[in-house]
Amino acid sequence: MKKPTISDLAKAAGVSVTTVSHAFSGRRHVDPETCKRIERLADQLGYHPSGMARALRSGRTGVIALASSMPFAVAAGPSRLGFLMEIAASAAMSALTRDLALCLIPPHPTAPSYGTASFDGVILVEPMLDDPLIQHFEQRRTAIVSIGTVPGRPDIPSIDLRSHETACLLLNHLAEQGCRQIAALLGTSPRTSQIESADAYAAFVAQHGTQARLIRLEEEDAENTAYRQMLDVLRTDPAVDGVFASIDAFATGAIRAAHDTDRAIPEKLCVVTRYDGLRAKLSQPPLTAVDLYLPMVAEKAVELLLNQIDGHKHSVKSDLPKLIIRASSQKRGS
Amino acid sequence: MKKPTISDLAKAAGVSVTTVSHAFSGRRHVDPETCKRIERLADQLGYHPSGMARALRSGRTGVIALASSMPFAVAAGPSRLGFLMEIAASAAMSALTRDLALCLIPPHPTAPSYGTASFDGVILVEPMLDDPLIQHFEQRRTAIVSIGTVPGRPDIPSIDLRSHETACLLLNHLAEQGCRQIAALLGTSPRTSQIESADAYAAFVAQHGTQARLIRLEEEDAENTAYRQMLDVLRTDPAVDGVFASIDAFATGAIRAAHDTDRAIPEKLCVVTRYDGLRAKLSQPPLTAVDLYLPMVAEKAVELLLNQIDGHKHSVKSDLPKLIIRASSQKRGS
DNA sequence: GGTGCGTAGCAAAACGATTTGCACAAGCAA
DNA sequence: TTGCTTGTGCAAATCGTTTTGCTACGCACC
């Protein structure tokens, strides 16, 4: 009835546990004859080695975690979909091909109690400045890598999301489309993506000698917040002819606002955003966005984390993001 | 440098490991004075109990898994989003409030090697008839619950997704909208949702005395497959005025086909689908679909799994799904 | 007959917690 | 004095592996 252990199996096969262990791991030679017998009996008894015992002995659980301190509602979008989940799905695949399992650990209100589970390492998605998750895992001596650099912590290995380049791509594209008065909708949280977007925007307006219209928005209920703000902006500041949104839901909110104030897109107002998710693709009109190569980023993060766990300090660089031009900013003839 | 263990802490505090253990667990009384001292020292040394050791001793890892034997591309949609990920996000939340972590285990091509990680239990999403995952976890004596009943295995505890009722809701809605010649686009896999949809459809056409048009489609590259099939159907069978799609991507494929054959939606052709995900919501026109209450389903699945792990045979019932009528089937004035 | 070497196997010590049974007080009643 | 309880603490067993050191045998080579 109970699960057979290695010593049950050893007893049944008339050998010692050592021999059974070696038979499976191949760390030492055991007689092929004996090997066969052990395997046959293992099958018969339904023996499977205990992951917990193995973990204790080897110090490896075979589990890595994926965490984001962003509220789930934001990270995963209104329908629990989006950025984080796209990374999660890719990372889970990458992890499994390396015989690892991927744990999803959401930011719980009453955290950091974070259960009893222990991980070999953790991938943090766009952590903030002084993110409590970092403190949590550093205390536990858990290997950390980050997707997106960590503000103020260049020592933490990360996959650079190239947010500066991304912002430049989008802003230059707007300029090429003839936009002169560009508003930026950025989140308030101190994450690299927002910081670099703000920097790029500041540099852009300085270079073009145009007026800065930097609008900081809370990321909760992003679409509605952006909608209300943009309604206001479009009414009081009719010169605005471009919107650079750092979060896809900001962009769709802006589109709704444009619609309600009778601004034709893209003729009167171009809207572009950063993350090319389902939201951007299915928006009406579809949103110009940037392919961040998230599956590749996730794959590299897993790779980097494994190096980190093994103590190698190997560094990993990610490819440059690529602009995907769609109807929300593509003017005729250009 | 190394992580302090319980005996390091005991030594530092001048007590035995037993006392330290009790101080934290509260399983026996220890002097409040001693308690304070231990806690202070634990903080100072940065002591955190090892999850692995605890798991070995207690037989609980504190980790549950979420698995689907559906290819990820299908379960999660073309952009790695959708049904499975929505469940995953909700389940992760529910799990954490119970001090559990949720592991995502994708169906790997070279499975079932499934790493070394061990789980207290597993939630299977819409398993098929004779699903290899079931065999895998039963062999390991891992507690199983299923989202959607398991065909041929009424003994496995599950959250019934009410696919029969869902299909009826959709078919009756189409009938009310005046559709007489309804085609059904169903997947080929032997999952309860497809089986019950087929049954409901058969009963429906029998009752209404209309012609059955049951089209079975592979779930790989669902949208394109459905698009091509429906193109064919709409050309050769112009009487068709309704489409019942069991998978959201089938529905969007059908919409594209309707568009390319100049069928106005919903006037000439009504399209409805089952899962009310982002795809259905953002489709043009938006798709009539069914709210399956996935967050609630995920929550109940976690609850059921915990009961299962503890040996309680508590059963859980899910609420009835609710129809969400949208433009893809809503005719004027009705 | 010593020396060296390859093969096959075992016993025991980790890994780091939890839990059980026991010990030694002090306090109080009979 | 004995008996009983309550408070406090410890030593040792346990969970199921992996890994290290050791034995023992057989065979060949100087």
Side-chain angles (χ1 to χ4, degrees), chain B residues 199-261:
Chain B
D199 291 350
Y201 180 69
F204 179 86
V205 295
Q207 187 198 327
H208 288 71
T210 59
Q211 188 191 334
R213 292 179 176 83
L214 177 53
I215 301 160
R216 293 280 187 181
L217 299 173
E218 287 296 332
E219 291 157 25
E220 302 274 353
D221 194 22
E223 177 162 335
N224 288 324
T225 310
Y227 168 71
R228 283 190 293 270
Q229 266 298 325
M230 280 304 297
L231 223 46
D232 204 45
V233 169
L234 291 174
R235 280 179 182 144
T236 60
D237 193 355
V240 170
D241 57 3
V243 174
F244 161 49
S246 69
I247 292 180
D248 53 359
F250 289 165
T252 50
I255 285 183
R256 270 176 51 211
H259 187 260
D260 287 7
T261 53

